[in-house]
Amino acid sequence: MSSQMVEKIDAVSLDSSFVIADRTFRSRLIVGTGKYRTNDEMVRAIEASGAEMVTVAVRRVDLDRSKEEGILHHLDPERYFLLPNTAGCYTAEDAIRYARLGRATGMSDWVKLEVIGDERTLLPDVAATLDAAKVLVAEGFQVLAYTNEDVITALRLEDVGCAAVMPLASPIGSGLGLVNPYFIREIKTRLSCPVIVDAGVGTASDAALTMEQGVDGILMNTALAEAKDPIRMSLAMRLGVQAGRLAFLAGRMPRREVAVPSSPVTGMID
Amino acid sequence: MMTVKVNGEPREIAPGTTVSVLLEGLGLHPRLIVVEHNREILDRTSFDATEVRAGDSIELVHFVGGG
């Protein structure tokens, strides 16, 4: 193999881009912007992750200026596609209100819809999520819906017109990794819209294992922001996502309960 | 002066204050802020023309870090 050919083999060239609604993405890693120690660290970590889409939250302006200024002082919306979330909302009504506020910034009509059902687990209230999704889709939003790993809810969310369905790997901020690969695989098999695993991935091997299930991408925040070194972890996650994606495309060898030699069993000397 | 609620806190402002003047007084750049006036989102083009009245509730929000 010539060195020229070798140069052409990289993860991006061996993968396809993927499309959500009307936008094409090369990076299958979507990252959040919360919980970083400093804004500078956040910006560098996002850069290292290679993400094209980043999530943001909608909150009151701090009128005393004692806290941070808005994220737009640090992130260039020309460079990153911003996905406003409805984090912290416990009712469909609140989530709809936050989605509308996010859209009113004038950036896009995309929203990461999450309606939380319980403070301890932060698991989604799927009935309220479906109700909110219906309203937002009717209002012209591109809804990327956070949900649990239940295939029936995932199908319903697709039915009501969500642009992407985002089942969790494990609870938000838990770092427990992919607890239910079977259901994630089933969701990917059954849905036609993009499936992004959102929440719970803790380290690069979790990211690879998740992508090996065939999903279109992963959304993460805490695993990067809470790493000792978020910049290194962001690169590790980028590579983990790429490794898992390529392994999925390549198709793994069968698992066997017995050993099979890799070297010829014939031609042995006496 | 009259009392309005801005981000949940009572504030004294002069009668006739528009949303634009309110934002300016708070040192906020209107381009980066979304304004909800009595639970209705205000279009940026109407900041100049919209007067805040006694007892009104104003929410000023923007994007912050989140997952």
Side-chain angles (χ1 to χ4, degrees):
Chain A
M1 196 180 286
S2 75
S3 62
Q4 245 184 347
M5 280 181 75
V6 172
E7 276 165 28
K8 282 181 187 161
I9 300 176
D10 64 60
V12 171
S13 70
L14 290 180
D15 193 3
S16 52
S17 51
F18 80 110
V19 177
I20 305 176
D22 54 353
R23 292 189 75 93
T24 303
F25 298 93
R26 302 288 299 178
S27 169
R28 293 176 180 274
L29 178 53
I30 303 161
V31 299
T33 53
K35 297 199 283 194
Y36 282 93
R37 293 173 194 98
T38 65
N39 285 312
D40 179 58
E41 195 174 61
M42 172 192 73
V43 170
R44 291 171 64 208
I46 292 172
E47 210 170 288
S49 77
E52 295 160 289
M53 177 155 57
V54 305
T55 63
V56 293
V58 176
R59 289 293 180 271
R60 280 175 169 166
V61 174
D62 177 24
L63 297 175
D64 302 327
R65 293 292 200 293
S66 53
K67 280 183 270 169
E68 290 299 320
E69 48 200 351
I71 198 101
L72 293 176
H73 290 275
H74 306 284
L75 276 187
D76 178 7
E78 299 290 316
R79 175 162 181 196
Y80 298 106
F81 183 64
L82 300 185
L83 179 65
N85 68 26
T86 64
C89 293
Y90 282 77
T91 64
E93 190 194 9
D94 276 352
I96 292 164
R97 187 180 179 195
Y98 274 76
R100 289 172 179 158
L101 288 168
R103 177 159 75 175
T105 58
M107 304 236 172
S108 76
D109 48 14
W110 288 42
V111 63
K112 173 188 157 177
L113 173 64
E114 63 181 89
V115 186
I116 302 300
D118 170 63
E119 271 182 44
R120 182 175 146 82
T121 61
L122 296 181
L123 287 173
D125 180 330
V126 295
T129 303
L130 265 169
D131 287 345
K134 278 181 213 162
V135 172
L136 293 171
V137 168
E139 291 184 10
F141 280 88
Q142 301 295 348
V143 178
L144 288 70
Y146 165 69
T147 183
N148 59 22
E149 77 279 54
D150 163 34
V151 69
I152 307 304
T153 305
L155 284 165
R156 299 281 178 275
L157 287 166
E158 179 174 52
D159 286 346
V160 302
C162 288
V165 173
M166 306 204 292
L168 52 80
S170 50
I172 295 171
S174 71
L176 288 174
L178 184 63
V179 296
N180 204 331
Y182 165 74
F183 279 159
I184 292 296
R185 232 167 22 243
E186 183 64 13
I187 288 172
K188 178 56 197 168
T189 304
R190 299 284 296 278
L191 270 60
S192 313
C193 72
V195 174
I196 313 290
V197 168
D198 177 7
V201 167
T203 187
S205 55
D206 295 338
L209 185 64
T210 301
M211 290 307 295
E212 283 171 20
Q213 312 311 313
V215 297
D216 297 280
I218 304 181
L219 198 166
M220 64 177 75
N221 189 157
T222 308
L224 307 180
E226 281 191 4
K228 272 188 201 153
D229 182 342
I231 293 130
R232 277 200 172 93
M233 185 56 87
S234 293
L235 183 57
M237 288 294 194
R238 177 189 199 160
L239 297 171
V241 166
Q242 290 179 337
R245 175 65 184 171
L246 291 181
F248 168 74
L249 293 174
R252 63 156 294 143
M253 62 163 285
R255 292 172 199 274
R256 302 187 184 97
E257 298 277 317
V258 292
V260 179
S262 312
S263 305
V265 290
T266 56
M268 304 292 287
I269 55 172
D270 285 330
Chain B
M1 298 298 271
M2 59 181 194
T3 307
V4 298
K5 216 177 235 188
V6 181
N7 284 3
E9 299 291 331
R11 259 173 204 268
E12 297 291 316
I13 59 170
T17 300
T18 64
V19 170
S20 290
V21 170
L22 176 71
L23 291 180
E24 204 182 307
L26 293 166
L28 298 173
H29 197 299
R31 197 175 59 83
L32 303 174
I33 304 287
V34 174
V35 179
E36 213 189 51
H37 181 206
N38 296 332
R39 302 216 30 146
E40 292 284 327
I41 293 172
L42 266 192
D43 194 274
R44 247 176 226 118
T45 54
S46 54
F47 286 1
D48 282 339
T50 306
E51 273 186 31
V52 185
R53 299 182 195 285
D56 279 2
S57 178
I58 303 279
E59 292 285 351
L60 306 174
V61 302
H62 62 169
F63 284 153
V64 301

